[in-house]
Amino acid sequence: MALSEHEQRLLDEMERSFYQSEADVMQTVPGARRRMNYRSLVLGIVVVLVGLGVLVGGVAAQQLWLGLIGFAAMLGGVMLMFVRGSETNLSADTVPGENPGDSGAQSAARESFSERMERRWDERMEGER
């Protein structure tokens, strides 16, 4: 079923508005396209546990400086858990799990949302005939 001109214009306007708002959100949220760095997470947990052990050891030995070192290690471990490395950035052209050298993968990644939906709609309509 085809859309009237008015409906098509409204749909195009809504789509442009959606893409504009999406672009605004992506620009204001730094790191929105990043993945979790599990290596830093695990390393941070280990550092926190070691720091906790040093802190407890410092309290048991009544050594203030050892307790402070343990606390600093725990703080550093927590900070390390939430660090997201630069190697985890996803570029706009690549999709996780695909090789960027594949020309088919690049063309599929560059295909906009509306183009994908239009292609899928056309495929669906051709299948009904």
Side-chain angles (χ1 to χ4, degrees), residues 16-93:
R16 278 193 301 272
S17 173
F18 172 72
Y19 284 126
Q20 180 63 38
S21 65
E22 182 182 21
D24 291 342
V25 168
M26 293 306 289
Q27 289 174 355
T28 58
V29 179
R33 297 197 43 98
R34 292 184 177 185
R35 294 184 295 192
M36 185 67 165
N37 190 347
Y38 294 110
R39 184 175 169 186
S40 293
L41 180 69
V42 171
L43 186 61
I45 290 172
V46 169
V47 170
V48 166
L49 291 176
V50 168
L52 183 62
V54 171
L55 176 71
V56 170
V59 169
Q62 295 183 348
Q63 297 293 323
L64 178 63
W65 62 272
L66 194 58
L68 290 175
I69 290 174
F71 179 76
M74 288 172 46
L75 184 62
V78 169
M79 290 175 60
L80 185 61
M81 280 192 284
F82 294 109
V83 168
R84 295 183 179 181
S86 61
E87 71 273 2
T88 61
N89 282 339
L90 294 176
S91 70
D93 297 333

